[in-house]
Amino acid sequence: MPGCSLCMGNQARVAPKSTVVSTSTRNFPNRLGQGANVYLASAELAAVASILGRLPTADEYRDYMKGVDSTAADTYRYLNFDELPEFVERADSVEISSEMKEAAQRLQCGGH
């Protein structure tokens, strides 16, 4: 059953004792359903599991990832958004208030 983790955790539920692969960042007993066995996974692992209908073996995962590896530079370039020329150009023109600069400075100093 596809769905976002917020909805799945708060409104929708999987059948009792289901096995779930989730790209969520949180998990605790019964979050997605009574007795649900939840595996937190990367987007790649969740995609392979959805294709197979089960968790893949390490070899199956590597075989699928070979196809991704050939396009990795383009596939993952958005993870390095701070290196994209369009982002850098826009970021350089953003005005940050003194209040926000002070708050950022406090965070960098551990809140002191």
Side-chain angles (χ1 to χ4, degrees):
M1 169 192 305
C4 78
S5 66
L6 178 61
C7 294
M8 296 300 297
N10 293 325
Q11 299 162 1
R13 308 288 280 170
V14 298
K17 299 184 181 178
S18 291
T19 297
V20 178
V21 176
S22 175
T23 58
S24 176
T25 57
R26 59 180 71 111
N27 184 26
F28 47 85
N30 304 312
R31 173 167 165 64
L32 300 182
Q34 188 65 34
N37 192 16
V38 180
Y39 294 91
L40 299 183
S42 66
E44 295 88 351
L45 179 57
V48 174
S50 71
I51 291 167
L52 296 176
R54 60 177 170 74
L55 289 171
T57 65
D59 287 337
E60 289 171 327
Y61 175 78
R62 283 191 286 273
D63 285 344
Y64 275 97
M65 291 310 295
K66 286 178 189 171
V68 174
D69 287 344
S70 65
T71 63
D74 188 52
T75 301
Y76 297 112
R77 72 187 179 111
Y78 294 105
L79 294 177
N80 297 321
F81 64 89
D82 60 320
E83 297 174 10
L84 294 172
E86 305 88 32
F87 176 86
V88 173
E89 182 181 318
R90 292 267 177 117
D92 286 343
S93 66
V94 172
E95 291 185 28
I96 301 173
S97 70
S98 58
E99 180 180 305
M100 290 302 292
K101 288 179 184 178
E102 290 171 9
Q105 184 64 35
R106 283 193 303 274
L107 285 173
Q108 289 176 344
C109 295
H112 304 301

